[in-house]
Amino acid sequence: MVRYEIRGASPGDEPELLRLAGFLDTVNLPNHRGHVERLVELATRSFSGKLKELRHRKYVFVLWDLEERCAVGTSMIVAQLGRRDAPYIYLDVISEEKYSAPLDKYFQHTVLKIGFSYHGPTEIGGLVVNPSYRRASERLGLMISYVRFLFIAAHRELFQNEILAELLPPLEPDGTSHLWEALGRRFTGMSYAEADLLSSENKSFIRDLFPTGDIYATLLSPGAQGVIGKVGAQTRGVEKMLRRIGFRYAERVDPFDGGPHFVAPVEEISLVRATARARLAGAVSPGDSTANALVARELGEAPWLRAITAPCALERDGRVRLPEEAILHLGLAEGDALLVLPL
């Protein structure tokens, strides 16, 4: 029996997504019922193609435990982060050196400068896995993370040439940010939680209220300086994965909490390059050499995509053999099209 399956988010998934949002409560997936409902509606219109403006699309994936009948993970793709109606806003992190010969004193300062892009990258985000499932032998975190690269590879025309991932920095136990308290609150008069929720719908207040000149981190508290560009404990595994597949730190951070931005040209991401289109050749035989892979079947209606992990045998002619239980689970017949990402 296949226990775990990824599907595209569909109407009716809202309660489970809201429950997952409660584990992390991020900008892409805030713990807010109205936002989650709008997100599922947007994802449905994106997958179906009813949303004609490609830049406005968001694709949300949900990982289901079929045995327990609950969602245990989610992730998403934002087709374009940064448009004329909603710019991509960030803080460039610049190193500035100062030296006085008469005093023989040298300083290296970190300077923050707000930046905007109106034709920004595609963003991968919204990655949440139920904490009680993170150590599962099936490596569920990789499964729900990798499906985004498989989808990007299959629909290259829908996405930008650069892919961005924003990682969470170290946060306080109550979820607040040292950088926000030292900087953002002083220029907006809002708490971190208030600003975080508002920014999930509209980031224009950052552009309107934040200072436009250089901000010397030296003037901020040690706690605020210490989180700039740092990766929090909860996302160190994600950082390791991103670096492994071709991402690098962009010397940019989130203006709210100082979390680092990682970027990669889409053609340099190893998981995108490794994804292949294939046709089902039939069931694996006892003598076949197999390797574990993320295998997906795209559908013309909700849930738009179904993906599982399974041992598969890739043949030289672009065909693939799968275990009988995987074929039955996905409802496949010989010759059906598949997407395959070796793991």
Side-chain angles (χ1 to χ4, degrees), residues 59-261:
Y59 301 90
V60 181
F61 306 91
V62 186
L63 174 62
W64 292 89
D65 181 341
L66 303 178
E67 186 176 296
E68 298 295 331
R69 298 184 180 180
C70 65
V72 300
T74 184
S75 65
M76 74 176 69
I77 307 170
V78 179
Q80 185 174 322
L81 183 67
R83 310 183 303 268
R84 292 185 180 181
D85 60 316
Y88 162 40
I89 306 175
Y90 51 85
L91 291 174
D92 276 318
V93 182
I94 304 163
S95 180
E96 183 179 275
E97 297 179 276
K98 294 285 189 179
Y99 175 69
S100 169
L103 299 178
D104 191 27
K105 286 189 176 292
Y106 168 84
F107 294 94
Q108 186 172 21
H109 295 287
T110 296
V111 181
L112 305 177
K113 186 175 182 61
I114 198 163
F116 309 92
S117 174
Y118 296 89
H119 188 78
T122 288
E123 180 187 11
I124 54 168
L127 180 63
V128 181
V129 177
N130 184 323
S132 63
Y133 282 81
R134 288 176 186 168
R135 296 186 181 274
S137 60
E138 292 85 354
R139 303 176 76 188
L140 301 176
L142 285 183
M143 186 178 177
I144 190 61
S145 179
Y146 280 18
V147 73
R148 299 172 298 183
F149 300 103
L150 175 146
F151 193 81
I152 289 171
H155 299 280
R156 183 65 192 84
E157 73 283 359
L158 301 179
F159 304 107
Q160 302 302 302
N161 293 324
E162 185 175 70
I163 309 297
L164 165 79
E166 298 186 15
L167 299 189
L168 285 175
L171 297 174
E172 291 303 287
D174 62 357
T176 58
S177 160
H178 276 298
L179 184 65
W180 181 261
E181 293 302 311
L183 185 62
R185 183 189 283 273
R186 300 190 179 195
F187 288 96
T188 67
M190 302 171 69
S191 71
Y192 179 69
E194 290 170 335
D196 203 37
L197 180 59
L198 178 58
S199 72
S200 66
E201 302 287 348
N202 190 331
K203 293 183 172 65
S204 63
F205 71 97
I206 308 173
R207 176 187 57 200
D208 297 338
L209 299 177
F210 262 55
T212 55
D214 293 345
I215 303 168
Y216 281 79
T218 313
L219 301 175
L220 305 178
S221 68
Q225 295 181 54
V227 300
I228 297 170
K230 299 298 189 296
V231 178
Q234 69 272 48
T235 48
R236 285 176 190 156
V238 178
E239 178 194 14
K240 184 178 179 181
M241 181 271 291
L242 290 173
R243 290 187 183 277
R244 186 175 69 247
I245 65 174
F247 281 74
R248 61 173 179 79
Y249 175 45
E251 304 296 336
R252 289 179 175 177
V253 299
D254 183 85
F256 284 76
D257 51 34
H261 290 188

Side-chain angles (χ1 to χ4, degrees), residues 255-301:
F256 284 76
D257 51 34
H261 290 188
F262 281 75
V263 296
V266 67
E267 69 274 7
E268 294 182 11
I269 300 172
S270 61
L271 298 181
V272 173
R273 297 199 310 266
T275 299
R277 290 189 178 274
R279 296 275 178 182
L280 181 67
V284 292
S285 302
D288 288 339
S289 176
T290 62
N292 214 31
L294 184 63
V295 181
R297 181 185 186 186
E298 294 194 277
L299 307 169
E301 57 185 13

